[in-house]
Amino acid sequence: METKEGSGTGAGTGSGAGEESGAEAGRVGERGGGGMSLMARQPLAVRPCSLAASLDVLGERWSLLAIREMGYGVHRFGRIAGYTGASRDILADRLRKLEAAGVVERRQYSEHPPRYEYHLTEAGRELHPVLLSLFQWGDKWAVEEPPLTLRHTCGHRLEIDHVCRHCGGPVGRGTVEARLSRGEE
């Protein structure tokens, strides 16, 4: 699929010439990135990260599309495969991984032969806002014309705004401060 802004393949891999040193990246981040510049000044090493851990579970196309289908109310394997386009062996592997991670659960609906439906657990249902954000991003950057319009119960087209639950302020790179958890009270 061609994107509106280019593929970005290889961006941020650490292999490109002209990369900023940690100190230079910190200065750039301090000018426009709010409190995230702390991360640019850390010693160069693979970071332990909740995003990376999430991507270990979810960061593959067929996993997210299967979750999308369960969110739509599609629970049987054959229908999930049909709506996602995933091959049956790949989908079975992804569903096993999602089940092992506690994102989905199998529920038997037939004993002879044994057949199962797949349902989102609480952890899976909590991915709904993430999927909505990906829908919105895809509508803007990945497709020429959105194939689906999402509307809120108020009747308006859905637009996701990320706001701080405590103060109601906008959430963005310039308003979020990164702090290392180790040693923090």
Side-chain angles (χ1 to χ4, degrees):
M1 175 189 292
E2 202 172 299
T3 63
K4 293 180 183 178
E5 294 295 310
S7 68
T9 303
T13 61
S15 60
E19 277 195 33
E20 301 169 352
S21 71
E24 290 166 342
R27 285 194 299 273
V28 170
E30 288 165 5
R31 282 194 305 265
M36 298 301 279
S37 63
L38 167 70
M39 300 311 293
R41 294 188 308 263
Q42 295 301 305
L44 186 59
V46 175
R47 301 179 197 273
C49 171
S50 298
L51 175 60
S54 299
L55 289 172
D56 281 344
V57 175
L58 305 168
E60 196 278 327
R61 171 189 184 132
W62 305 119
S63 298
L64 289 173
L65 293 178
I67 292 167
R68 175 197 68 189
E69 290 306 317
M70 286 177 254
Y72 285 160
V74 177
H75 301 289
R76 296 200 176 170
F77 183 87
R79 290 177 51 98
I80 295 171
Y83 284 125
T84 63
S87 69
R88 296 177 76 78
D89 59 329
I90 288 174
L91 181 60
D93 177 67
R94 298 315 183 265
L95 289 171
R96 276 192 295 274
K97 189 174 183 180
L98 291 170
E99 184 181 14
V103 176
V104 303
E105 64 183 6
R106 289 189 319 159
R107 297 180 190 166
Q108 190 167 12
Y109 69 88
S110 171
E111 289 187 30
H112 303 289
R115 299 272 189 246
Y116 297 88
E117 292 184 328
Y118 295 86
H119 292 266
L120 296 173
T121 62
E122 180 181 357
R125 289 187 299 274
E126 285 189 11
L127 288 167
H128 190 70
V130 174
L131 293 180
L132 291 176
S133 291
L134 285 170
F135 267 111
Q136 186 169 301
W137 185 91
D139 287 351
K140 182 174 181 179
W141 298 105
V143 298
E144 290 299 319
E145 184 172 331
L148 184 67
T149 300
L150 300 175
R151 296 202 174 274
H152 191 265
T153 55
C154 70
H156 290 89
R157 184 180 175 136
L158 184 65
E159 292 184 32
I160 304 296
D161 281 332
H162 297 279
V163 297
C164 175
R165 180 177 295 180
H166 300 284
C167 71
V171 173
R173 188 164 183 254
T175 62
V176 174
E177 179 181 334
R179 293 185 182 179
L180 299 175
S181 296
R182 282 183 238 126
E184 229 183 297
E185 295 180 326

